[in-house]
Amino acid sequence: MLSVTPIPALSDNYIWLLRQDTSQEVCVVDPGEALPVIEFLERESLSLGTVLVTHHHPDHTDGLGELIRRYAPRVIAPDNPSIEGVDERVSDGDEIRVMGRLFEVIETPGHTLDHISYFTPGIPPLLFCGDTLFCAGCGRLFEGTPEQMHKALKRFAALPEETFVFAAHEYTLANLRFASEADPENEDVKHALTECEKARALDRPTLPSTIGRELKINPYLRVDTESVRGAASKQGAIDNDLATFTTLREWKNRF
């Protein structure tokens, strides 16, 4: 059975570790630091076989060099030459096998132009989406356009609702507080905020989420609803999905 464990890193990152219970070899996603990964592997007597990278930002790649030197893992990443030490550069529609599971690569530009995500169907389906989709939020647009991010999120929304969503940051409370303003009539947002405040008070991760949950609480996936459109219209959005999304993202930047 495949298990997924969060390794906290930096101030609010999660490096996700994938492990089959029949093997001591593991995979990690977006190692922004090497030391937390090394300490976990040594403590659990594990070896690193594969690294998945979603995009080039240092808080997702800075641990790569040390991990490559120590473990010589297979490194899979987007086709961006600024990411060094890559064995396989992948793009939209490519398929890779990791930990016995077949993963599909989904191009998800917006946060960065090179951003990709990794989706594996099965029981349960899993999505490793880096900085594209967060619990109740989405990534800031550093390089891409609102159109690109909106399209990426629509692709995620079409995945099975039971898909577990493994985002790369613990941004949930801030996102839910914004969602309370952007989707003010949504009781699911209020319940999620209470639950996540309790989790963080106990220093527990609020992740993973699921696609089904995000469809209920994430305003960026709910731009066609009356509640979100009404709130966005007060910030200047016109009445269509892309304009609503664009207004939400700009509003969140200054929230």
Side-chain angles (χ1 to χ4, degrees), residues 48-136:
L48 181 62
T50 305
V51 176
L52 301 180
V53 178
T54 61
H55 64 292
H56 68 273
H57 280 169
D59 63 320
H60 296 252
T61 61
D62 269 1
L64 265 179
E66 179 63 23
L67 294 177
I68 290 170
R69 284 190 290 272
R70 278 180 172 257
Y71 304 105
R74 169 195 182 201
V75 178
I76 302 169
D79 191 8
N80 183 338
S82 71
I83 307 172
E84 299 180 352
V86 177
D87 299 295
E88 299 176 39
R89 298 190 183 274
V90 294
S91 58
D92 195 56
D94 287 343
E95 293 184 338
I96 55 174
R97 190 166 290 278
V98 179
M99 310 303 298
R101 296 273 293 254
L102 190 66
F103 283 74
E104 176 189 352
V105 177
I106 304 173
E107 283 187 354
T108 51
H111 179 68
T112 64
L113 292 177
D114 67 339
H115 203 298
I116 59 176
S117 300
Y118 301 90
F119 171 71
T120 176
I123 305 174
L126 312 174
L127 174 68
F128 296 90
C129 51
D131 287 357
T132 298
L133 177 65
F134 298 124
C135 182

Side-chain angles (χ1 to χ4, degrees), residues 114-227:
D114 67 339
H115 203 298
I116 59 176
S117 300
Y118 301 90
F119 171 71
T120 176
I123 305 174
L126 312 174
L127 174 68
F128 296 90
C129 51
D131 287 357
T132 298
L133 177 65
F134 298 124
C135 182
C138 75
R140 188 182 290 262
L141 304 179
F142 285 111
E143 298 174 4
T145 65
E147 291 89 344
Q148 288 174 317
M149 181 65 89
H150 181 49
K151 180 180 178 181
L153 295 180
K154 286 173 67 176
R155 292 185 73 176
F156 289 161
L159 295 175
E161 291 193 10
E162 64 271 23
T163 300
F164 282 101
V165 176
F166 296 92
H169 288 274
E170 183 57 73
Y171 289 165
T172 305
L173 288 183
N175 288 338
L176 284 168
R177 288 169 186 145
F178 174 71
S180 297
E181 298 293 324
D183 197 358
E185 300 170 19
N186 191 334
E187 292 297 321
D188 290 316
V189 169
K190 297 173 185 177
H191 294 153
L193 182 55
T194 299
E195 291 173 358
C196 291
E197 285 174 340
K198 291 177 180 177
R200 294 310 294 154
L202 297 171
D203 200 29
R204 294 176 180 169
T206 61
L207 301 169
S209 186
T210 66
I211 292 296
R213 186 185 191 211
E214 293 307 300
L215 290 171
K216 293 180 179 179
I217 68 172
N218 193 317
Y220 302 101
L221 299 183
R222 294 172 49 78
V223 293
D224 60 345
T225 65
E226 183 177 344
S227 177

